[in-house]
Amino acid sequence: MQQERFFFQAEAKQLLDLMIHSVYSNRDIFLRELISNASDALDKRRLEILAHPEHEENEGESRLSAPTIRISRGEEGRTLFVSDNGVGMNREELTNYIGTIARSGTGEFLSAMKAARESAGAESLIGRFGVGFYSAFMVADRVDVVTRRLGEGKGWRFSSPGDGTYTLEEAERNEPGTTVILHLKTPDAEKGERDYTDEWTLRDIVRKYSDFISYPIVMAVSKKTEDGEAAEDQVLNSGKAIWRRPEKEVTDQEYEEFYKHVASDWEPPLGRVAFSVEGGTEFRGILFFPSRAPFDLHYAPRSEGVSLYIRNVFIMNDCRDLVPSWLRFLRGVVDSEDLPLNISREILQEDPLVRIIRKSLVRRVLASLKKMMADDREKYVRLWKEFGPVIKEGLASFDGAEKEHREAILEICLFPSVSSGDGFLSLGEYVEAMKEGQQAIYYVTGRKLPVLRNSPLLERCREKGFDVLLLADPVDEVIAPTLPDFRGKKFRSLEREDALPPEEEKTDAPRPEGLASFLREVLSETVKDVKISFRLTESPACLVSDDDGASFNMERILRSMGREVPPLKRIMEINPDHPVISKMNRLLASGGGEEKVKEYAFLLHDQCVLAEGGQIADPALFAGRLSSLLSENMDAAGGNFPPAGEGE
Ligand code: ADP
């Protein structure tokens, strides 16, 4: 069959260019990436043979040899082979996996990358994406892949000089699996580039980055014999499962490399929880907190997740039953001694053992996060900024099994508050700093922090010196109304009319009852009631609600999601001490000012909506009213304005 030539998908080509112009300074890691892919392919081979035993039969005489990853060096020239007898790829898989990038978030990644390219941020961004196979182009000026899919007769050769094109043609391959052939660039010793055909360099890289890989990584090395030299296969890795070794014997560097393998991340993790549980249910493993949220954390969990092993045998990636969705950012491995090897995804969900493991994992993770919060606040804040919104989803989980973790989740939550400046406050810290007489934990919800900081609702607490939590994550709106007590204190939204205990009337100003009933009538389409409030200090009025239903912000969120929501009618509170209110009241009482006060009433209402960052129903009408008000005010300023025509 003819050789065919193709172009890389545009985004794939951009990634490739980034690799070739090597934004990443540590070129050694290409080998880690290729070995990691080979190891995954061997995992897949095992699973596929379990599901289709006929594949093994069909391989005929040659049968399948023991799973192995082999590194070999070309007889002549500068070539390096990384080969596996794993699941292999067919033509379609080759083009889908290698010629294109079908992953969500690629667009965002590339634009972030472009922005960061000049700065030092580029390397860490690559880490957020993980470009695996493409890293081969850092060290090679041509890369070939010869592969045959398990269960299929035909093999394929892919070849690319890294210029955005590749060729495909049929190829022979005895055993299923994949060989990546790197035509290495000449290393520039002056730049400190290493020679990847050198035995000790290769040994060193494998030991450093891939020691824990559970399949043997074999290389033929020369041994001195009596008759001179002879080649002999040597296994370069120890292959010990890292979670089966005592934690204190494993170095941070080893954990880090293992993390990079399981999480397909190039950046080190922020923290880890290693565990070994014996007695009743026996399981061990290790979970990591990545240092950054993947681009798609909020809309599609990536496939890495937490892998399930049973008695040291890989069973599946991304076992979602092991950790709740609000911990979906965790990466790592759980190895159970008790589950049956033939367990399926469907059964897992029902399995009581899995539930026990899951519960125990959640407890361990929460305890570890609490410890991090206490011991290394700065690191914890970094983690919280990345994953806090996801962790908080756990508070909204109505699953009975999850409810028991609520208390512990609340302990590790951080929120911005009026007093916290740019930082965060834990609930424990909030409660400890509560003023005498303060009965509840107060909060306001909204879309933007700066708007919340200026909310008129805060006036009610500011005067008393009560701190207020500012909840500006979209998820806060969902969780806030469901929050249980925290250390015996209730959560109260300041948006509620009765959030604070009733206030003594402390004003000498006459109660603007007449105005209140006038406003009630004029604004009856939009507000439910108008009340005189003694809690406002700076603003003339604000809007509050009197039930536990959806708050104003919730209404806004639902609307932005395209839901039809009937407008929520709220209560307008007016401040009798404010000149706007007292003047409106006087104007009304003087008789004849009704039309004016009506206009002011609409303005006052829209102003309340704007102050809380909302959208007014008819902006053009509002603008018109404001203009005439301004113009009247200027007229009132009278003689101070030069007549038209002058000064222009
Ligand atoms: P990642 O490993 O992060 O998915 P890669 O670019 O390294 O990204 O690989 C893309 C895909 O190509 C893999 O997910 C896998 O399906 C396939 N692949 C890569 N190397 C091999 C291999 N040695 N054997 C079989 N499939 C492979």
Side-chain angles (χ1 to χ4, degrees), residues 465-480:
F466 296 172
D467 199 2
V468 179
L469 301 178
L470 308 171
L471 310 189
D473 271 337
V475 61
D476 291 338
E477 195 57 57
V478 183
I479 57 163

Side-chain angles (χ1 to χ4, degrees), residues 391-398 406 409-410 413 415 479 482-483:
I391 295 175
K392 283 188 286 186
E393 287 174 20
L395 292 169
S397 160
F398 296 106
R406 276 184 165 193
I409 299 177
L410 283 175
C413 279
F415 298 102
I479 57 163
T482 70
L483 289 175

